[in-house]
Amino acid sequence: MSILSGKNVLLAITGGIAAYKSIFLLRLLVKSEANVQVLLTPNAKDFVTPLTLSTLSNRPVLSDFFDKNNQNKVWNNHVDLALWADLFIIAPATSNTISKMASAQADNLLLATYLSSKCPVYFAPAMDLDMHKNMANKNNINKLISFGNKHIPVNSGLLASGLVGEGRMSEPNEIIDFIKNDLRRELKLFKKKILITAGPTYESIDAVRFIGNFSSGKMGYALAKVAIKLGADVTLISGPTSLSLNDDNVKVINVITADEMFSEVKKQCKSSDIIIMSAAVSDFKPKFSSTKKIKKENKNLLSIELLENIDILKYLGENKKNNQILVGFALETDNEFINAKLKIKKKNLDVIILNSLNDKGAGFGFDTNKVTYINLNGSVKKFKLKIKEEVAKDIFDQILNDFNEKI
Ligand code: CTP
């Protein structure tokens, strides 16, 4: 999952030797699951071929206002293109195009589309060092920045001319990182550290048996996905599940027992801004666990002596940092509301998410859940049955609303 996933991106390539790097940039954008429409200036076609770019982007490459090969003279509507775009990337941006952008010239499709655009515009200049240093060019770059365009600065190094200095276009991976970070900065949980636990814990009886529960981990993973989308850096401590989550902004720590979960939570909790304990932690563990399989002839092991596990959430409540937001879950079958409210006090929580096993389609294993959000001031919000990612969105919206000042 990437912040660029599903975004409509106009990748505009102008006529400079750095255009060859834009082929890699296009690959990275497509890999990030963006929908990419390539625009070329007529001069850019001398450096890269439309065939390469259309093959990689899976769309015809656009360069002219009219498709000259088409008898019907189809108009490539720059206004529609501009409105379609969520992002406009001009890489490489030559001195010529920068100058035309700064003075509102529109003598090719790329420039006309730029002038019509409302979305964020990123431009990555590339030119020889003296052209780059030239005051007229510097002024144009500054003008574009002052108009709100986002400047991806050049690198220093060996240039196509053989000279060494500032003027190389940023590398494709640097351009992608620049854009991703810039987009994330706008998000409500940007750089916030969020710790989420998910799934069941397994408490071993012997080499092949355990005490566990039916938790699938889906709710915790959905919370992690939504937190990432909101810009957070997430640590997900997961009990045994069949789920996985890959993203630059999540660290997944797999555990099996409640003790292991506790030890990982303890390591992470101090640096977390929000902690959400959605794991179904086993309350008890066998006092003795055999490393070998217990044979059925062993009749004196028909009953299992249990020990209570540490209540991780209670520990977190007792050791809560200033400004930390602590969210617990409560899965209840009887007196749901009263029990959930009691848990807020008992465990020093800011929020409890109540889900009831009495609701159809809610709870363990389902893709849906129906929750009630209760905060420490007693404010209650009941949500409808929804898919778990929607439920996770509701929970974060509510947290952002209630704890705006702390976050
Ligand atoms: N929890 C925990 N450590 C435990 C048990 C539960 O951190 N050993 C957390 C769960 O992750 C959840 C919350 O406590 O966020 C409530 O869990 P729940 O099982 O509903 O309640 P308990 O506190 O265990 O109480 P009871 O089983 O009596 O309802």
Side-chain angles (χ1 to χ4, degrees), residues 254-274:
N254 292 303
V255 296
I256 296 180
T257 64
D259 285 337
E260 285 171 15
M261 186 171 276
F262 178 52
S263 123
E264 292 300 332
V265 165
K266 260 199 306 188
K267 284 185 212 160
Q268 306 290 337
C269 64
K270 284 199 186 78
S271 58
S272 302
D273 301 300
I274 303 176

Side-chain angles (χ1 to χ4, degrees), residues 58-76:
N58 235 338
R59 287 164 189 266
V61 165
L62 304 178
S63 183
D64 303 306
F65 288 107
F66 293 95
D67 185 352
K68 288 173 189 138
N69 299 323
N70 190 322
Q71 296 274 317
N72 303 324
K73 290 254 187 244
V74 180
W75 180 36
N76 294 322

Side-chain angles (χ1 to χ4, degrees), residues 371-388:
V371 302
T372 304
Y373 169 104
I374 309 168
N375 80 11
L376 73 167
N377 300 323
S379 120
V380 174
K381 187 125 187 162
K382 284 188 179 189
F383 294 100
K384 291 190 188 134
L385 186 76
K386 296 182 179 184
I387 59 163
K388 284 185 172 164

